Each structure stands twice: as C-alpha cells, then as structure tokens.
Amino acid sequence: MNPYDEVEEDLPDEASETAGAPSKSQIKREDQVLQALGKRMTSLSAKQIAEFPVEESLRDALLEWKRIRSHEAQRRHIKRIGKLVREHDVEALELAMDRADPNSSLSMSATRVAQEWCDRLLRDAKPALTQFVERYEVADIQLLRQLQRAALPDAQAEAPTPAVRKLMRFVRQQVVQKTA
C-alpha cells in the first residue's frame, strides 16, 4: 500500500466542489437576462415606475436612467439596474412588466379578449353583461352598466367614440386582473 493513497483520499475533490456552482458563463448569461429586464423597465413612464412593485433603490435607479444621456454611462447604469433587479422576484417583475408593456404578448392578448367582450357587450347587452360579471367577478357592476349604457348608442359608429373607449378600458382592466 502506498502511503500517499490515504492522503489523496482526504483531499477534497475539485470537481465535486465546483459541480454545484454555476460557471462564469452561466452567471454572465443570467446577468444579461436581468439587464434586459432592467432595460425593458426603463421604457416605462415615470408614473408607471412610481406604481411599479419594486424597492425604492431600483425605482430611483430607473428614474435616474432617464436623465442619463451618455451612451457609456447608460451602459454602466443598466449593469447597476441589473444588480438591483437580482434582489427582487424576477418572475413577479416580468409579469408586472408584461402588464405594463402594451407590446407584450400578455397585453396584446388581454386587448384582443377585451375587444371581443366589448363587441359582445354592445351587441347582446344583458346576456353578455351577465356572462362577463360571472366570468370576471366585477366588483363595480354599476359602473360597468353605466359604461355599457353610454356606449350603446355609439355601437354602430365607424370610429370608437369616447364612451366606447371608456368601456374598452374598463373591460381590459378586468381581463388583465383576472389573468394575473
């Protein structure tokens, strides 16, 4: 028996220690995803950022990004925003961003569903209203009825009138809340 065999058994195996740790490349890829989410968040308006479910440090960083004009400074600041995003629940932020971003698939889907419901509410007034309230559990049924009554005379108009747009906004809000 070789006396060095025992010593080698006591030494930690480098492969077993690093097997659970992510590689540098994996860490960089994760950072890029967080930075991309941060970059999407910078496209929000100041009002949307103020209402966004994030800590004050990230909110301040997002608002500060809007004041930065230098390309290099913006690049560095996005890295900072990515680090701040890491401290949050990324999935919740992505969902909130999908709700806020009008170009997201969630938002487009909600708009399409809301448009279909508006058409039904204006075409089949009472049955559609009952089905909508049952499906989306509307808290303010009276407001929905008022919006529907105001939009009914304009239902056949070529362009959406202000009353129809108000109804659409309300219905879309209910659809988005239900999908969340």
Side-chain angles (χ1 to χ4, degrees):
M1 176 166 187
N2 188 346
Y4 297 108
D5 288 341
E6 291 179 25
V7 175
E8 288 178 11
E9 291 175 13
D10 294 339
L11 294 176
D13 185 13
E14 290 180 27
S16 66
E17 284 183 3
T18 59
S23 66
K24 283 185 180 181
S25 299
Q26 180 63 31
I27 292 170
K28 287 181 182 181
R29 282 190 293 272
E30 289 171 4
D31 286 345
Q32 287 174 344
V33 168
L34 296 176
Q35 290 170 19
L37 177 59
K39 179 76 171 170
R40 280 182 62 206
M41 291 169 67
T42 61
S43 68
L44 298 173
S45 69
K47 181 182 176 187
Q48 288 174 316
I49 291 172
E51 297 171 354
F52 218 66
V54 294
E55 292 179 10
E56 195 66 30
S57 58
L58 179 55
R59 186 174 290 116
D60 291 343
L62 291 169
L63 293 172
E64 184 179 344
W65 189 88
K66 293 191 177 295
R67 293 188 300 269
I68 298 172
R69 297 290 172 235
S70 167
H71 176 71
E72 181 61 21
Q74 285 180 341
R75 186 191 65 76
R76 287 190 311 267
H77 199 70
I78 286 295
K79 288 185 179 278
R80 177 175 173 241
I81 289 173
K83 286 181 182 179
L84 293 171
V85 167
R86 183 180 297 277
E87 298 170 3
H88 293 78
D89 180 10
V90 177
E91 290 179 10
L93 286 179
E94 286 176 339
L95 181 62
M97 190 61 210
D98 284 343
R99 283 189 198 148
D101 183 8
N103 296 323
S104 72
S105 60
L106 174 70
S107 182
M108 289 182 169
S109 173
T111 301
R112 182 181 41 76
V113 170
Q115 183 64 47
E116 291 170 3
W117 272 109
C118 278
D119 291 344
R120 286 181 62 195
L121 287 167
L122 295 174
R123 189 180 54 240
D124 310 322
K126 285 192 178 194
L129 182 71
T130 305
Q131 291 171 352
F132 184 80
V133 169
E134 287 174 358
R135 172 136 186 190
Y136 291 100
E137 302 167 4
V138 178
D140 197 351
I141 299 169
Q142 185 176 1
L143 176 61
L144 177 59
R145 284 188 184 132
Q146 289 172 353
L147 293 171
Q148 183 187 30
R149 268 189 252 122
L152 278 172
D154 304 331
Q156 301 304 322
E158 288 183 28
T161 62
V164 173
R165 284 194 295 265
K166 282 182 182 178
L167 176 64
M168 176 66 178
R169 271 194 299 271
F170 182 83
V171 169
R172 186 181 180 288
Q173 182 182 19
Q174 301 304 313
V175 170
V176 168
Q177 286 177 359
K178 179 73 173 190
T179 58

